[in-house]
Amino acid sequence: MRKLFATALLALTAQRGVNGWKALRYTQEEEGERELQAYSQLYADYPDSVAACLIVKDSNARDDQPLVLGDCDITNQAWSLDDDGLYHTKLDSDYCMQAGRGGEIKDGVKMRIFKCDKDEKRQQFKGPESIGRIKLKDQDYDDFCIEFRGVTPNVNVDPIIVKTCDHAVAGWSQD
């Protein structure tokens, strides 16, 4: 079983991104070392809309905290996708995105953060794909995508939900 031993921000390898500094993350596992992965913001790609990013509500990393569309100028709101498909929040890399709390995954289930668990299927994602969709990775749930609730993005209002991909309109991009 893999364990996360350390997470270090490497000042010498920080990069200036479009909307601020990105810090590279280093993780070490029992079987060896992982590659450096950059934290980057996830932008809602929607024509003629304000810049809106996927953020943790109130910038508070704790279990069951909801994800919302927020201001892209908040520099600590960035994500890193690891080799297991978990999106770690820059607020605290021990917390990851998760589709709902438990029970059935269905249209409208709210996205939240919980302590990272590589065996939790609700935390395993793939993407963004070429068309900008972020999908759940598990074959039982791979027809669900991350989406904002609403017709157009509303910053600090719309929660992030999962929706069947054929009904999803938002795409996501990373800086």
Side-chain angles (χ1 to χ4, degrees):
M1 179 185 209
R2 297 180 195 173
K3 287 187 177 178
L4 184 66
F5 287 121
T7 299
L9 297 180
L10 304 175
L12 296 176
T13 57
Q15 299 174 342
R16 179 80 172 147
V18 174
N19 287 317
W21 288 93
K22 295 188 290 187
L24 299 178
R25 187 168 60 89
Y26 171 79
T27 57
Q28 182 177 352
E29 301 177 22
E30 288 177 349
E31 295 85 16
E33 298 177 357
R34 284 195 180 165
E35 297 177 16
L36 293 175
Q37 295 183 18
Y39 281 97
S40 59
Q41 292 180 310
L42 289 169
Y43 299 91
D45 284 337
Y46 197 85
D48 303 321
S49 69
V50 297
C53 289
L54 191 153
I55 67 168
V56 177
K57 186 176 182 179
D58 300 328
S59 296
N60 189 359
R62 63 181 171 87
D63 277 346
D64 204 30
Q65 191 69 1
L67 302 180
V68 296
L69 279 180
D71 188 346
C72 294
D73 291 335
I74 301 172
T75 58
N76 65 347
Q77 293 280 7
W79 301 91
S80 179
L81 182 63
D82 73 17
D83 296 336
D84 294 315
L86 278 63
Y87 273 103
H88 298 259
T89 175
K90 187 177 178 184
L91 293 170
D92 182 338
S93 64
D94 291 333
Y95 286 87
C96 292
M97 285 185 203
Q98 181 171 312
R101 296 181 174 119
E104 184 182 353
I105 293 179
K106 57 185 177 182
D107 276 357
V109 167
K110 290 183 182 176
M111 292 292 298
R112 302 176 177 280
I113 60 168
F114 284 91
K115 284 279 192 182
C116 299
D117 178 357
K118 72 178 187 76
D119 297 320
E120 173 58 67
K121 294 178 182 181
R122 300 169 173 283
Q123 291 186 8
Q124 299 169 5
F125 297 90
K126 56 184 174 183
E129 299 175 330
S130 61
I131 56 173
R133 291 186 175 157
I134 299 174
K135 299 175 77 171
L136 282 158
K137 191 175 184 179
D138 186 79
Q139 65 182 14
D140 293 334
Y141 302 121
D142 68 354
D143 58 338
F144 286 99
C145 292
I146 296 176
E147 177 73 55
F148 55 84
R149 185 172 64 199
V151 179
T152 58
N154 295 300
V155 174
N156 298 321
V157 174
D158 289 337
I160 306 300
I161 60 172
V162 292
K163 201 171 196 179
T164 51
C165 295
D166 55 349
H167 294 112
V169 294
W172 300 94
S173 61
Q174 294 177 275
D175 64 359

